[in-house]
Amino acid sequence: MPRNTFFSAVVALFVCLFSVQAFAEVLTMGSALNKAGRQRMLTQNIMKNYLALGLDVDVVRAREELDRSVALFEEQFQELTEYAPSKQISASLSQVEDLWFEYRSLAIGKVNRENAAKIIDRNNAILAACHQVVLDLEAFAGRKSAKMVNTSGRQRMLSQRIAAYYFAHAWGFRDGEFVAEFEKAKREYGAGLDTLTAFDNNTNDINLALKKVQAQWAFSNTGFEQLDDGNYVPHVISVTTTGMLKRMDAITHLYEDLDVSLSSGAVAANSMEH
């Protein structure tokens, strides 16, 4: 075989194997749930960082995170679209796509109060659409461990939603609806931690990681309590909620691994029965 032909064949084989490996990474229910759950978080992370830019809070990091979140949302959307195992999930993803175009345009556009108000207004709709994708995937999986991937992934979203509404309040968006959403997100975050902590199949690593998040959550609440007095600590909230996000992301990966382990065990048990 000529050298150039051999080299081309090797490259083609490498590309093929790489593509199969990359696709196989998405082609697990736990991984798909993780990515879909991360899409929810990204919608809130985008709003948070847009508002941070308007407040001049950690501007360099906020701009980098905003750009990275927009790019990652689009990348994961394509992966989920290719993976979608049912017509219902494909239809839900189409709803996300319809809302995403405007949301993305606002996010990468000029930073001002008018556009900030539009982002806050559009935020709930795209979050709800992304959440529906997760619910559809969870229902398709039909496993309690899959629900834990969803719940832990949702904690990531809530950490960013809390920060976003905190920043909105600091920028003067103080309508009763916004305050109510802020308080609701805090309640749901605490309830989510309780649900995860009570899960019977938690590993030691998961339980240890959850204890660290609980400590971080308690610290964050001291900053939130100053909000009613008009004392804003946006930099502190930015740092602590980013830490909460990173810890919950790691925990979600642990639940993803647990879901694979438990589902493999169930398959093995069924095989033995038959």
Side-chain angles (χ1 to χ4, degrees):
M1 179 183 294
R3 182 176 180 181
N4 289 344
T5 303
F6 175 77
F7 179 77
S8 298
V10 171
V11 170
L13 178 61
F14 175 80
V15 171
C16 180
L17 289 173
F18 180 80
S19 299
V20 170
Q21 183 181 10
F23 185 72
E25 193 176 73
V26 181
L27 208 62
T28 68
M29 182 52 67
S31 178
L33 271 165
N34 187 359
K35 288 177 185 291
R38 191 182 292 123
Q39 295 292 82
R40 294 178 302 195
M41 180 277 290
L42 290 172
T43 65
Q44 306 309 291
N45 183 267
I46 288 168
M47 178 168 73
K48 179 198 82 171
N49 284 301
Y50 185 95
L51 295 171
L53 289 173
L55 288 169
D56 290 326
V57 176
D58 298 333
V59 173
V60 174
R61 184 171 67 179
R63 172 53 65 187
E64 290 177 351
E65 277 192 18
L66 178 60
D67 292 344
R68 198 161 52 237
S69 293
V70 169
L72 183 56
F73 189 99
E74 296 202 339
E75 177 185 327
Q76 291 188 154
F77 180 81
Q78 293 303 319
E79 291 175 332
L80 290 167
T81 300
E82 291 175 6
Y83 171 73
S86 73
K87 290 183 179 179
Q88 176 59 48
I89 293 169
S90 294
S92 294
L93 284 164
S94 293
Q95 291 292 321
V96 172
E97 186 174 28
D98 291 342
L99 295 166
W100 170 242
F101 291 130
E102 182 186 15
Y103 197 71
R104 176 188 61 189
S105 297
L106 289 168
I108 64 178
K110 190 173 183 180
V111 178
N112 55 44
R113 280 186 62 87
E114 181 182 357
N115 285 340
K118 290 179 180 178
I119 285 179
I120 295 171
D121 181 63
R122 272 57 161 188
N123 178 264
N124 283 340
I126 192 167
L127 173 60
C130 289
H131 183 55
Q132 187 59 51
V133 174
V134 182
L135 293 179
D136 290 343
L137 284 165
E138 182 187 320
F140 189 88
R143 297 190 299 271
K144 190 172 181 181
S145 53
K147 182 177 178 63
M148 293 301 104
V149 178
N150 175 6
T151 303
S152 59
R154 191 166 181 267
Q155 294 294 97
R156 296 178 299 192
M157 177 277 290
L158 288 169
S159 72
Q160 299 307 283
R161 187 168 177 80
I162 289 166
Y165 276 106
Y166 183 96
F167 289 167
H169 196 285
W171 200 355
F173 294 97
R174 298 169 189 167
D175 291 354
E177 178 186 351
F178 300 151
V179 175
E181 288 290 352
F182 176 67
E183 294 299 330
K184 180 183 176 184
K186 287 196 298 177
R187 288 195 304 272
E188 290 180 348
Y189 191 91
L193 275 181
D194 291 342
T195 298
L196 294 172
T197 302
F199 185 50
D200 292 338
N201 293 114
N202 281 347
T203 63
N204 289 335
D205 286 342
I206 289 175
N207 284 328
L208 180 61
L210 285 171
K211 284 182 180 180
K212 292 179 179 178
V213 173
Q214 287 170 329
Q216 204 164 28
W217 175 234
F219 174 75
S220 296
N221 273 311
T222 61
F224 300 144
E225 290 169 359
Q226 301 179 45
L227 196 62
D228 292 336
D229 299 327
N231 297 322
Y232 299 103
V233 286
H235 177 73
V236 173
I237 297 303
S238 176
V239 172
T240 55
T241 54
T242 296
M244 288 159 57
L245 168 61
K246 290 179 179 179
R247 288 189 186 278
M248 284 311 312
D249 189 51
I251 291 170
T252 304
H253 283 289
L254 291 175
Y255 275 115
E256 181 186 336
D257 292 340
L258 181 62
D259 179 64
V260 171
S261 175
L262 293 176
S263 61
S264 297
V267 170
N270 289 333
S271 298
M272 291 178 68
E273 289 175 4
H274 294 88

